[in-house]
């Protein structure tokens, strides 16, 4: 069975989030991208505790096309070290997962 994933990345601006969403949706590497924000992020960066307002992209995809998805995100992501985290979907609405699968490219890169 195909393994579905949700991938999360964050960016500084809504425009950057939309750019990522448009890119990966256009390539059929995501069936859906939810843009959430602004959210407050607190994190360590280069030895300092930082705080920033960011926008989060929650990306619905499949494990088998994750490498292409990660590459596409990195190609347009403005951060030096972008957060790109994939978490497995353990279970879900069968009809939703069928829709998701139908909207994604095949592993070979074909729709």
């Amino acid at each position: 069975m195909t393994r579905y994933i949700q991938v999360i990345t964050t960016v500084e601006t809504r425009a950057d989030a939309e750019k990522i969403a448009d890119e990966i949706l256009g390539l059929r590497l995501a069936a859906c991208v939810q843009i959430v924000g602004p959210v407050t992020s607190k994190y360590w960066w280069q030895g300092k505790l930082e705080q920033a307002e960011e926008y989060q992209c929650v990306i619905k995809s499949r494990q088998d096309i994750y490498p292409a998805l990660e590459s596409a995100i990195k190609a347009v992501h403005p951060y030096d070290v972008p957060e790109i985290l994939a978490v497995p979907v353990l279970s879900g609405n069968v009809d939703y997962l069928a829709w998701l699968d139908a909207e994604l490219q095949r592993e070979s890169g074909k729709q």
Side-chain angles (χ1 to χ4, degrees), residues 55-98:
Y55 288 82
Q56 186 177 67
C57 295
V58 181
I59 302 157
K60 316 305 193 239
S61 192
R62 265 194 340 256
Q63 178 67 41
D64 63 326
I65 58 175
Y66 175 80
L69 175 59
E70 181 182 312
S71 292
I73 292 170
K74 285 181 173 179
V76 296
H77 204 293
Y79 291 178
D80 292 337
V81 182
E83 169 193 20
I84 305 172
L85 300 174
V87 295
V89 173
L90 300 178
S91 188
N93 175 351
V94 174
D95 295 330
Y96 179 83
L97 295 176

Side-chain angles (χ1 to χ4, degrees), residues 9-111:
T9 192
T10 54
V11 290
E12 185 177 6
T13 68
R14 181 170 192 91
D16 287 336
E18 300 230 6
K19 183 177 181 180
I20 289 170
D22 291 346
E23 178 70 14
I24 61 178
L25 286 165
L27 294 170
R28 295 285 188 161
L29 295 170
C32 173
V33 179
Q34 295 168 317
I35 298 172
V36 181
V39 298
T40 300
S41 296
K42 291 186 164 205
Y43 54 93
W44 286 100
W45 181 247
Q46 298 179 342
K48 295 181 184 175
L49 188 56
E50 301 282 346
Q51 179 173 321
E53 223 176 57
E54 295 182 298
Y55 288 82
Q56 186 177 67
C57 295
V58 181
I59 302 157
K60 316 305 193 239
S61 192
R62 265 194 340 256
Q63 178 67 41
D64 63 326
I65 58 175
Y66 175 80
L69 175 59
E70 181 182 312
S71 292
I73 292 170
K74 285 181 173 179
V76 296
H77 204 293
Y79 291 178
D80 292 337
V81 182
E83 169 193 20
I84 305 172
L85 300 174
V87 295
V89 173
L90 300 178
S91 188
N93 175 351
V94 174
D95 295 330
Y96 179 83
L97 295 176
W99 166 81
L100 189 151
D101 199 43
E103 297 305 323
L104 295 168
Q105 66 174 240
R106 302 289 139 225
E107 187 173 8
S108 66
K110 297 179 182 175
Q111 174 54 24

